Amino acid sequence: IYPWPLPQANLYEVHILLKETLTEFSNLTSTFNFPPEYLAALHYNLVVRTRAAYRLPPDPTYEGLAKDSMQTVRSANTQIPSLVMPDNLVRPGVYNIYSDQTR
């Protein structure tokens, strides 16, 4: 990444978000740090799978919550944020080189 114009280091920050494929957990005590929407998806989908593993009847409440949490994760991952420039870097209009004026 080559930002231009070069921001002053003490005034501005650059934040870069990267998508990364989730890997399997190595053991039950491994720590992880996910955004809040991932925690709900992990929790409710684990509830649905655990109920199936114990051969309990499906619960529509948990299945709905699991489906909703997965949709929240999908929508959070597909959002494309719009670029926002600091106010002092935004020019007031378009400069016309022929008239030497800003519209």
Side-chain angles (χ1 to χ4, degrees):
I1 293 179
Y2 300 102
W4 189 260
L6 294 176
Q8 294 179 9
N10 57 351
L11 294 178
Y12 303 106
E13 297 177 353
V14 176
H15 297 270
I16 302 169
L17 301 176
L18 302 173
K19 291 186 179 182
E20 185 177 342
T21 304
L22 296 177
T23 58
E24 294 182 8
F25 299 114
S26 58
N27 56 35
L28 293 176
T29 60
S30 59
T31 59
F32 55 92
N33 187 13
F34 292 128
E37 57 267 6
Y38 279 86
L39 298 177
L42 284 170
H43 175 77
Y44 290 120
N45 284 286
L46 182 63
V47 168
V48 170
R49 288 184 175 242
T50 305
R51 288 182 65 84
Y54 284 105
R55 297 189 177 157
L56 294 172
D59 187 347
T61 304
Y62 288 122
E63 288 183 356
L65 288 170
K67 185 177 179 181
D68 184 50
S69 65
M70 286 302 293
Q71 185 60 36
T72 302
V73 168
R74 282 189 199 99
S75 65
N77 285 340
T78 57
Q79 281 184 339
I80 300 173
S82 58
L83 176 65
V84 178
M85 297 293 290
D87 291 335
N88 57 351
L89 290 180
V90 178
R91 61 183 181 190
V94 178
Y95 177 72
N96 186 344
I97 60 171
Y98 301 110
S99 65
D100 193 27
Q101 295 179 352
T102 302
R103 301 189 266 142

